[in-house]
Amino acid sequence: MIDPRPALPRWTGPALVSLLASLLACLLAAMLTGCGAPARPLELSITDMDSLQLRSWLSPQLRRNVDLLPVLGGQETNPLWGTRMSDMSLNQAYQESLRRVGLMPDVPDTGRYQLKVELLAMAQPNLPVAPEVAVSVRYTLTERGGKAPVYQRILRTTQKAGLDDSLSPTQQLRIATEGALRSNIGELLRDLASLPLPA
């Protein structure tokens, strides 16, 4: 007896290789298309829980006494080149973080100290699948009118993101980038909390 059903294609040899190549090309195109989402300023800032803890550690000499100079080193996000942090996003993130821990003065440009922030480098993987992002930032704290820094250090922090954070590689890269800078800001504030300053 003849089976009237149509024969199923056999995926062997060249047909299998062709199918796998097509699937791989589609997967790569999906991962590379639009793999740049701009970082969000509030997600770059330290969390409320961290700010509450750090606030109690900071010296009285720094409270409401640190002015932030314009942050340098930001870049606009290009959809083809991954997540970037613009100067405006960086400024907002640092202002918000300093405000949350009580370092920003009530009136701008009246603080005893000035903080200079320079984003020196950001390393991101070419394929944003479970990415690990590293950022390096130089911090310089000087007394207003003074030349010698009270504090100067380059801090490097990393952050990973994966499927637990998002199914989208684009969002994973953004989350890892935001987390790396947020960790960097946290390290800075912990350093400032233990900084010996004259009364």
Side-chain angles (χ1 to χ4, degrees):
M1 184 168 156
I2 298 175
D3 189 352
R5 293 176 294 180
L8 295 173
R10 292 184 181 207
W11 298 110
T12 58
L16 179 61
V17 171
S18 176
L19 174 68
L20 291 176
S22 298
L23 288 173
L24 183 61
C26 290
L27 178 63
L28 285 174
M31 287 178 1
L32 293 175
T33 302
C35 59
R40 302 164 298 177
L42 288 179
E43 298 300 324
L44 296 170
S45 308
I46 62 166
T47 63
D48 289 334
M49 185 181 294
D50 285 340
S51 65
L52 286 173
Q53 185 181 39
L54 287 165
R55 188 183 294 231
S56 62
W57 295 349
L58 290 169
S59 70
Q61 290 88 345
L62 288 177
R63 286 206 177 102
R64 302 200 183 288
N65 232 354
V66 179
D67 280 310
L68 179 68
L69 298 174
V71 180
L72 306 173
Q75 293 179 328
E76 295 297 327
T77 295
N78 180 330
L80 299 177
W81 298 111
T83 296
R84 296 291 185 262
M85 299 172 281
S86 68
D87 285 337
M88 186 173 77
S89 294
L90 288 170
N91 273 292
Q92 289 174 350
Y94 278 95
Q95 285 173 2
E96 184 62 26
S97 296
L98 293 176
R99 189 174 294 111
R100 284 181 182 179
V101 295
L103 292 180
M104 293 278 285
D106 295 328
V107 179
D109 299 324
T110 59
R112 177 179 176 183
Y113 299 97
Q114 292 179 311
L115 178 64
K116 182 179 180 182
V117 178
E118 300 168 87
L119 177 62
L120 300 178
M122 181 170 58
Q124 295 177 327
N126 291 330
L127 290 177
V129 180
E132 181 175 13
V133 175
V135 296
S136 295
V137 185
R138 179 191 292 132
Y139 298 103
T140 307
L141 184 72
T142 55
E143 200 164 351
R144 186 179 293 280
K147 293 184 180 177
V150 177
Y151 167 87
Q152 187 170 46
R153 191 168 173 202
I154 295 174
L155 296 176
R156 183 180 186 274
T157 49
T158 62
Q159 181 69 42
K160 290 182 179 179
L163 292 175
D164 291 345
D165 301 296
S166 174
L167 294 176
S168 164
T170 301
Q171 297 307 314
Q172 289 177 23
L173 185 61
R174 180 186 52 73
I175 290 166
T177 302
E178 292 168 348
L181 187 76
R182 190 170 52 249
S183 296
N184 206 286
I185 295 173
E187 293 256 341
L188 163 72
L189 295 174
R190 278 185 279 280
D191 275 2
L192 294 181
S194 60
L195 189 65
L197 290 170

